[in-house]
Amino acid sequence: MSRPDVIVVGAGVVGLSAAIAAQMRGLSVVVIDREGPAAGASAGNAGAFGFTDILPLASPGILRKAPRWLLDPLGPLSIPPRYALQIAPWMLRFWRACSKDRVEHSTAAQTALMDLSRADLEPFLAATGTSAMLRKEGNLQVYESEAEFQASLPGWQARERHGIAFRHMDADQMAGIQPGLSPRFIRGTFTPGWYSIADPKLYVLALAEQFRAQGGSIELGEVQALAPVTDGVDVHQPAGATRHAAQVVVAAGAFSHRIARSLGETIPLETERGYNTTLPPGAFDLRTQVTFGGHGFVVTRLSTGIRVGGAVELGGLSLPPNFARSQAMLTKAKAFLPGLNGEGGRQWMGFRPSLPDSLPAIGHARASQNVIYAFGHGHLGLTQSTGTARLVSELLLRARPSIDLSPFSPQRF
Ligand SMILES: Cc1cc2nc3c(=O)[nH]c(=O)nc-3n(C[C@H](O)[C@H](O)[C@H](O)COP(=O)(O)OP(=O)(O)OC[C@H]3O[C@@H](n4cnc5c(N)ncnc54)[C@H](O)[C@@H]3O)c2cc1C
């Protein structure tokens, strides 16, 4: 069996983007995934390149909304009672990350990674033959009251300080961008620099094809543990099988901390489970992505349908999905977009890989410079995939990273 320069664990959008970036820089790469490409969160997300979403989720604003949201068991944020004790340490860290100083620090780091990802996006799509999948339709955030709109203004001012363009709108102006919104939405903010992909699953499958076409191989298999050895890293798989590579990238999404644990490292990765329903194409004449921020969900036009989804359920990796959440968002979407045809949808749940301060982990493992972590992108894994891919390839080549990686240090907790 060949001994590649690099083994990437995980064939989601982060792992495959990193694998392609490494391949483009002349390294031989094998990707290992227990289910094959696009099996995890990367398949069913909302497809947004939300480059303007630079404010961390861990923020005073979320602390204000959380108590009200938690009262509704099918609302935007929920904690299943069976998981409450387990998630408590993560929640404490999240709460600590909401201080003013920490939010400013995270926003600056997030902005740097967003800028890098945006700069790399179109060249990466061109190099992988996926440019036709890019949509530049912006995002319309809508508000139901003047008070909700006013409460959003500090966030928009912070974005303005980071050079992000947006336009506040009244109902008539919104109708020019997106006809068919319920009159309950009296204000909105349009962000033109918010892009999306025609379909996130098809995009990852196209990346997988491109990676193979350039000589990469994708193997089906579970990675159980990593062991640094003198000339690289042993990758342990079930039944005693072992692969070897000079370097390994851990991009196993919400499961990555289990692999880190095999190296003696504890990383507080949790999952924010998210839900959606994908309706047939034509269910609504959607012209931009619409965010119902007060209700924690978005509606997105994909080439494969209209996707209604979002919500955060802090429920871990083992509890069964509660698809009443998908239904609850769909019911609201029908009220918010009265022309929406809610028939014929497919429901889905996915595991956002989330660290408590809303920043990913990008950097070396403590145990070895030959193991690189690239996980924990939370709500923004697709958005930040190209920037992360560049950073991973720089770490693999021992080159100076394009941005300061200290805020993303896997050892920061
Ligand atoms: C409802 C919802 C909406 C979202 N919307 C957006 C959006 O609009 N824009 C955006 O940027 N982000 C969005 N996200 C977040 C985004 O989907 C994730 O951040 C991103 O997909 C994470 O990518 P990943 O490659 O790290 O993980 P994944 O896509 O989960 O891939 C991890 C892979 O690792 C494999 N794996 C795990 N453990 C092992 C192991 N031990 N051995 C071998 N293989 C293993 C899995 O099979 C999987 O294929 C959304 C998420 C959800 C849930």
Side-chain angles (χ1 to χ4, degrees):
M1 207 173 278
S2 68
R3 287 185 154 216
D5 296 326
V6 182
I7 288 178
V8 175
V9 187
V13 72
V14 173
L16 276 169
S17 303
I20 290 172
Q23 193 181 48
M24 283 171 174
R25 286 160 181 80
L27 298 170
S28 61
V29 187
V30 167
V31 174
I32 303 180
D33 194 295
R34 61 184 175 201
E35 291 181 67
S42 302
N45 63 52
F49 291 107
F51 295 123
T52 60
D53 205 2
I54 56 167
L55 305 179
L57 192 70
S59 65
I62 204 84
L63 292 184
R64 270 195 305 276
K65 288 181 198 161
R68 183 169 43 89
W69 280 354
L70 283 167
L71 286 177
D72 175 0
L74 294 180
L77 173 64
S78 73
I79 304 176
R82 276 183 290 172
Y83 202 69
L85 214 57
Q86 264 164 286
I87 193 79
W90 187 93
M91 296 286 286
L92 185 63
R93 284 196 163 100
F94 181 92
W95 176 73
R96 286 205 200 110
C98 292
S99 72
K100 190 167 174 286
D101 287 358
R102 299 272 307 271
V103 169
E104 275 173 23
H105 170 83
S106 301
T107 304
Q110 201 75 287
T111 305
L113 183 53
M114 291 295 205
D115 288 349
L116 185 68
S117 300
R118 181 177 28 215
D120 274 0
L121 177 66
E122 292 188 60
F124 185 83
L125 297 185
T128 54
T130 52
S131 300
M133 298 179 104
L134 184 64
R135 294 180 168 176
K136 296 186 174 177
E137 295 174 351
N139 176 280
L140 182 63
Q141 166 94 35
V142 295
Y143 307 102
E144 282 166 285
S145 67
E146 193 58 32
E148 187 188 0
F149 173 65
Q150 291 295 331
S152 78
L153 291 179
W156 291 111
Q157 285 151 7
R159 290 182 184 92
E160 197 165 26
R161 285 196 290 280
H162 288 281
I164 288 169
F166 54 85
R167 297 199 297 279
H168 294 313
M169 298 184 166
D170 60 22
D172 285 345
Q173 291 164 320
M174 287 198 290
I177 299 249
Q178 179 57 63
L181 283 167
S182 157
R184 67 196 283 159
F185 298 104
I186 57 165
R187 287 284 215 155
T189 306
F190 183 67
T191 333
W194 181 285
Y195 302 161
S196 57
I197 199 80
D199 181 278
K201 180 170 185 174
L202 297 182
Y203 173 59
V204 176
L205 293 177
L207 294 185
E209 272 319 298
Q210 172 67 17
F211 173 69
R212 288 193 186 102
Q214 298 303 314
S217 85
I218 302 178
E219 296 177 4
L220 207 57
E222 166 121 26
V223 171
Q224 293 179 320
L226 302 179
V229 288
T230 41
D231 61 343
V233 185
D234 283 345
V235 175
H236 295 294
Q237 298 189 262
T242 302
R243 297 292 314 264
H244 180 85
Q247 300 188 74
V248 171
V249 177
V250 179
F255 299 84
S256 300
H257 59 312
R258 294 182 175 172
I259 297 172
R261 208 178 294 144
S262 73
L263 293 163
E265 199 159 3
T266 304
I267 298 187
L269 184 74
E270 271 291 345
T271 178
E272 295 178 65
R273 295 149 57 117
Y275 289 84
N276 64 39
T277 304
T278 307
L279 302 166
F284 189 76
D285 177 16
L286 200 64
R287 311 212 178 151
T288 180
Q289 189 180 49
V290 181
T291 299
F292 301 102
H295 299 268
F297 73 95
V298 300
V299 183
T300 314
R301 182 177 79 89
L302 303 173
S303 59
T304 47
I306 299 290
R307 183 161 289 167
V308 177
V312 166
E313 184 185 61
L314 297 169
L317 296 167
S318 311
L319 294 182
N322 174 4
F323 285 116
R325 286 191 178 289
S326 303
Q327 185 55 47
M329 286 184 277
L330 183 59
T331 302
K332 282 187 178 178
K334 284 194 280 188
F336 298 168
L337 302 169
L340 179 77
N341 179 353
E343 300 302 310
R346 269 179 296 116
Q347 295 176 325
W348 177 86
M349 186 272 279
F351 298 113
R352 298 185 190 91
S354 298
L355 288 158
D357 58 1
S358 313
L359 297 178
I362 305 171
H364 293 114
R366 180 175 286 136
S368 170
Q369 294 285 303
N370 294 326
V371 177
I372 292 162
Y373 294 147
F375 57 79
H377 295 76
H379 295 237
L380 294 166
L382 171 65
T383 306
Q384 298 178 339
S385 54
T386 49
T388 302
R390 168 182 289 275
L391 293 166
V392 167
S393 68
E394 289 166 346
L395 291 172
L396 288 167
L397 294 172
R398 308 283 191 258
R400 189 187 160 84
S402 294
I403 59 172
D404 174 18
L405 280 184
S406 59
F408 306 102
S409 165
Q411 288 80 38
R412 68 187 182 274
F413 297 101

